[in-house]
Amino acid sequence: MPVSVGVGVLVSGGGSNFEALVAAARRGEIPGADFRLLISNKPGVGALERAARLGVPALVLDPKTFPDRAAYFDAAADALEKAGVRVVCLAGFLLKVEPNFVRRFAGRILNIHPGLLPKFGGKGMYGHHVHEAVLAAGETESGCTVHLVDDEFDHGPAIARAKVPVRPGDTADLLAARVLEQEHRLYPAALRQFLEKLDKVSA
Ligand code: GRF
């Protein structure tokens, strides 16, 4: 039986990746994953409704109520550690995490990006901006990447990726839906793989 590992999820929006992760864990597809806390930087988002329905404790931390980003991410890290979280998954989280947060969860922060990094990544490249850039560049394929988070946007080493075709006449909405379907498959698989390795390291 794998060691139980506390997982925390940071979100800013709908939370479909969050739900895909929790649902996969509850189907036994991510052995050891114990989802302990969801943190949203925005109130009233879909991810909070999903957390309530799934019975995952949730917290809204509004950056406007903190003197600066360093204080914000210290509070987020404190809440995650208090909840027993060891691995953090960013899932549609739009703030750049502060260096001290990266250090406190060194090598144990994952993110999913709706593009094939390192292309179409970096500041401002999130959600539809990615799909619009892929279409504008005339790419014939796109996809999603799960990567370890470091001090820069979308920059840490990739740990898994999935490709989808770009079809003639594709709109950003059509491409986004095709990529999101793969995200919901890739993120649980990537987290499972990551926890298996973590288990070995911490054993
Ligand atoms: C997804 O495209 C994800 O790749 C990106 O944020 C979008 C929203 O995802 N990071 P979700 O429904 O909030 O999980």
Side-chain angles (χ1 to χ4, degrees):
M1 179 63 190
V3 173
S4 168
V5 176
V7 181
V9 185
L10 272 54
V11 298
S12 299
S16 70
N17 274 290
F18 159 68
E19 176 150 12
L21 287 166
V22 174
R26 291 182 181 174
R27 289 193 301 267
E29 296 169 12
I30 318 177
D34 176 11
F35 287 84
R36 300 274 183 91
L37 181 64
L38 175 103
I39 296 180
S40 174
N41 64 305
K42 288 182 187 164
V45 293
L48 293 167
E49 289 156 30
R50 293 178 196 262
R53 175 165 41 82
L54 293 165
V56 176
L59 180 63
V60 176
L61 284 185
D62 180 350
K64 293 193 290 298
T65 62
F66 289 85
D68 55 37
R69 281 294 159 87
Y72 180 84
F73 279 101
D74 281 346
D78 291 348
L80 290 162
E81 285 178 356
K82 192 158 162 254
V85 167
R86 282 195 65 217
V87 174
V88 179
C89 291
L90 309 185
F93 186 64
L94 297 181
L95 303 183
K96 186 161 80 71
V97 291
E98 285 287 301
N100 197 36
F101 186 91
V102 175
R103 260 192 300 283
R104 284 177 70 171
F105 290 96
R108 289 178 278 117
I109 310 171
L110 280 66
N111 180 48
I112 188 156
H113 179 75
L116 294 176
L117 293 176
K119 293 172 80 173
F120 307 108
K123 189 167 170 49
M125 289 306 279
Y126 60 87
H128 265 55
H129 301 297
V130 176
H131 307 303
E132 280 150 10
V134 165
L135 293 174
E139 299 288 331
T140 56
E141 66 179 14
S142 189
C144 46
T145 310
V146 177
H147 64 96
L148 290 178
V149 171
D150 61 15
D151 288 358
E152 295 173 53
F153 269 122
D154 304 326
H155 180 262
I159 57 174
R161 67 181 68 228
K163 291 184 177 179
V164 300
V166 176
R167 296 204 172 107
D170 256 347
T171 62
D173 280 342
L174 285 173
L175 183 54
R178 197 172 308 131
V179 171
L180 193 61
E181 193 181 344
Q182 289 304 315
E183 292 177 46
H184 295 165
R185 189 189 54 76
L186 187 72
Y187 216 169
L191 180 58
R192 174 195 180 115
Q193 176 194 333
F194 182 77
L195 294 184
E196 282 168 356
K197 289 204 181 85
L198 192 69
D199 214 359
K200 290 186 179 55
V201 164
S202 55

